[in-house]
Structure formats: C-alpha cells, structure tokens
Amino acid sequence: MQGSSFSSSDVAHLTDRRPSVTPERLVAQLVPPPTFADVSFDTYRPDPAEPTQAAAVEACRRFCAQALERRAGKKKLFGKREVLPGVGIYLDGGFGVGKTHLLASSYYEVGGDDVKRAFATFGELTQLAGVFGFVECIDLLADYALVCIDEFELDDPGNTTLISRLLSALVEKGVSVAATSNTLPEQLGEGRFAAQDFLREINTLAAMFTTVRIEGPDYRHRGLPPAPEPLSDDEVAQRAADVPGATLDDFDALCAHLATMHPSRYLTLIEGVSEVFLTGVHPLDDQNVALRLVSLTDRLYDAGIPVVASGAKLDTVFSDEMLAGGFRKKYLRATSRLLALTAAGQTGRAIT
C-alpha cells in the first residue's frame, strides 16, 4: 500500500502464537482488566431515569465496608480476633448497565497495601481451582478480604459443585464475595444442564448473596450506529498492514486455533496486540466454537482491542438457534461487545 512502511507479509497472526500460563501468572492476573483500571464509584454515572443504578452504587459501598469489617474480625480476649463469615453481593442486570464497573470499583474500594483481594472471570476462577487444586485454592485465597467474580455462570454440573464448595469454604474463612451476572442466583444453570439435580448447590450459592438488580439500556449502544458493513478481505489486509502491533487472521483458522488451548490462555494470546483484523467471518453452527469465540471476545473487550472484519457482520455470528438456547445471554453479551469493538475499529472511538 503506497505510503505505508508495512506490507501484508509483515502482519502478525494470532494463529502463530502458542501461549502458556504459569500458576504464578494466573495469580498475577487476578486484577481488573485494563479497561477498568481507573474506575471508582465516583466515576460511575448512574442514569437518572434508572434509580436502581444509583441504588446499586450505595449497596456496593455498604458491602465494601462490611467486607472490611468481616475481614478484621471480632475482638476477643487478649487482643485476639474471631474470624467472621464473609458477606456476598450479586449484581444482576442486563448488558452494559455498568455491573463490571461497579465490581472493579468494589475491588479498589476494599484495596490497600495490607488488604488482599482478587478479581477474576468465572472461567478464570474455575481454572485457578483446576491448576492449584481445590484445597490449595482455598488456602491461596483464605486470607483475602474480597473475591470479585465477573459474569458468574454455571455451564456444567462439575463447575456448579466446585464453585459452590469453594465459595462456601472461603466465606466461612471471612472472605467476602462480589459477583456480576445476567442471571439470578437461583436460576443459574437453567437451560444448560439438569439444574434440578443440583438444586442444593445452586441454593447454597444463592444463599450467600444479597441480590442487587440494576436496570437500564446497554450503554455501549448509546449513540452507536448499527453494526458496520464488513470490508472486503483485501481492505482488511491493507488496513492491518498499516497498524503497528495488529494481527490478521482467517476467521476459521483462528477458531480452530482457539480449540488448541484452554480459554485461560486467551488473555496471553492477545497480549501486546493493538488491533485484531479478521477475514472470512461467517455465522457459526458449532456451539463449542461459538463459546470459545465468546471467551475471546470477552478478553478483547476487557483489553480494549478493536476489531475489523470482512465477511458477515459480527452481530450475525451467533445463529437464531443458538440465541434461543441455554447460552442465549452469553451470546447476547458477546454480540453487544463485538458491536462496540467493531465500532471502535471503524471509527477509532475508544472502547468504554
């Protein structure tokens, strides 16, 4: 391309990357993503038309104060303290109402040099337990004041039992838990597996939390145009060649590559990437492929990495059949985030 110091052959490919994640890296990743690195309760802007948003801020502030009180414990004789069980808050609401903003704000509000806390997606938390082992994971987090879990979801019976036992043990040890989700605690697992067979675990989880409902429209779509018209393959390749730090991949090749690694590695996969360019995007018919794309989309959104694509519009990737199934809310969240990512890729607008 004339005037460019890059050629298409210079562009890197995600499919060439083989990331690995050490246990130490998993622990180091237990912080809010870059797009929420500077948030606070004061920077949250409640919609005046949605009073539940301002109420959620106050509920989170109270929760943080309680979490610190519980971690400090109750004074006993001779200066000793009795550990008090942790508390839980569950932020339930639609897409783009600021749940993750409030979750990250809670993380920072409880923070301090001598206060341990963790921030993880639900998938990262289950991966942490898998890598360290159940008992070791409890030992690792037992002296934390707060564990924040973004997009709490139960996709299979094993995760239901694991997370129920893990959080129960942590709460008993004085760890408070804050979570976000698009599904009420007592409805976790519905439509995904035989949830009625795991009602005890689900009810145990529900009993840990005070649910705070947040209403409102998706802020990511305020003022945004519809999904942009896709570029041609050649246009995508040419634009990728002009962006230092960009990657260029065929959609099917990337989807196949994602299948070769655990989703916990996706964050490392996109590390240092400035913009993702995709060619040949098309609707998916395999749910396993679709769920891996959801995980990658979440990591791209958290890192604020724009996406530019050719082929089908990115808001058509998940079929009507998929949107009617048990993972509907996951696919809708991913679509919402893909719209924001592609709008940023087309206009240069920052992802917020």
Side-chain angles (χ1 to χ4, degrees):
M1 187 174 180
Q2 190 172 4
S4 171
S5 59
F6 294 87
S7 70
S8 59
S9 61
D10 295 321
V11 184
H13 308 286
L14 291 176
T15 52
D16 291 336
R17 296 185 170 202
R18 301 289 188 274
S20 60
V21 182
T22 64
E24 293 76 18
R25 175 65 185 270
L26 281 175
V27 174
Q29 288 178 186
L30 298 179
V31 297
T35 46
F36 297 96
D38 300 314
V39 301
S40 68
F41 292 132
D42 291 335
T43 62
Y44 183 81
R45 296 289 177 261
D47 185 341
E50 300 291 348
T52 58
Q53 295 187 9
V57 175
E58 295 309 310
C60 287
R61 289 185 186 275
R62 291 193 299 271
F63 164 78
C64 290
Q66 288 180 306
L68 288 171
E69 291 172 0
R70 293 279 170 160
R71 182 72 276 175
K74 181 180 178 182
K75 281 188 177 180
K76 297 178 67 177
L77 293 175
F78 309 112
K80 294 184 178 180
R81 288 184 176 271
E82 176 186 4
V83 174
L84 297 174
V87 290
I89 191 169
Y90 193 97
L91 304 178
D92 174 69
F95 312 105
V97 294
K99 301 188 300 295
T100 302
H101 184 133
L102 291 176
L103 190 69
S105 298
S106 299
Y107 173 93
Y108 293 120
E109 182 79 4
V110 172
D113 293 338
D114 57 342
V115 179
K116 291 184 177 181
R117 69 269 198 234
F119 187 107
T121 65
F122 183 80
E124 288 170 338
L125 186 63
T126 56
Q127 171 69 358
L128 194 72
V131 169
F132 284 94
F134 179 76
V135 174
E136 291 79 3
C137 191
I138 292 174
D139 291 341
L140 175 70
L141 300 174
D143 60 346
Y144 280 47
L146 175 64
V147 171
C148 298
I149 309 171
D150 200 20
E151 298 297 347
F152 200 110
E153 295 170 348
L154 297 179
D155 296 340
D156 63 64
N159 283 347
T160 303
T161 302
L162 172 67
I163 296 303
S164 175
R165 292 176 57 210
L166 177 64
L167 295 185
S168 294
L170 291 176
V171 168
E172 288 178 4
K173 293 180 178 294
V175 181
S176 292
V177 180
T180 72
S181 183
N182 304 307
T183 305
L184 290 170
E186 62 272 16
Q187 296 173 337
L188 288 166
E190 278 189 6
R192 298 177 176 90
F193 57 88
Q196 65 272 15
D197 295 337
F198 295 88
L199 282 178
R200 185 180 68 178
E201 285 81 2
I202 292 172
N203 288 336
T204 297
L205 287 169
M208 296 179 193
F209 297 107
T210 297
T211 301
V212 176
R213 176 70 185 176
I214 308 175
E215 305 285 354
D218 191 334
Y219 77 89
R220 286 186 285 264
H221 295 173
R222 295 175 196 167
L224 283 182
E229 290 297 327
L231 303 174
S232 69
D233 288 355
D234 287 342
E235 288 173 322
V236 169
Q238 288 176 347
R239 286 189 57 174
D242 282 333
V243 179
T247 58
L248 173 64
D249 290 275
D250 171 75
F251 183 64
D252 282 336
L254 178 59
C255 289
H257 188 54
L258 294 178
T260 67
M261 67 190 77
H262 189 278
S264 63
R265 298 185 183 183
Y266 292 177
L267 182 60
T268 308
L269 177 70
I270 62 171
E271 193 169 47
V273 174
S274 62
E275 196 161 351
V276 167
F277 291 81
L278 298 173
T279 58
V281 171
H282 61 82
L284 297 172
D285 55 12
D286 185 315
Q287 188 152 260
N288 290 322
V289 176
L291 290 172
R292 285 191 285 266
L293 181 62
V294 168
S295 295
L296 178 65
T297 298
D298 288 341
R299 301 288 76 75
L300 290 170
Y301 183 79
D302 287 344
I305 299 174
V307 173
V308 176
S310 66
K313 291 183 179 180
L314 283 170
D315 62 350
T316 67
V317 168
F318 307 111
S319 68
D320 290 341
E321 183 179 358
M322 288 180 179
L323 292 176
F327 295 103
R328 169 182 172 81
K329 291 184 177 181
K330 272 192 172 186
Y331 296 140
L332 289 175
R333 181 186 77 232
T335 298
S336 170
R337 291 181 166 185
L338 282 171
L339 285 174
L341 292 170
T342 56
Q346 292 285 74
T347 65
R349 173 175 173 169
I351 300 169
T352 58

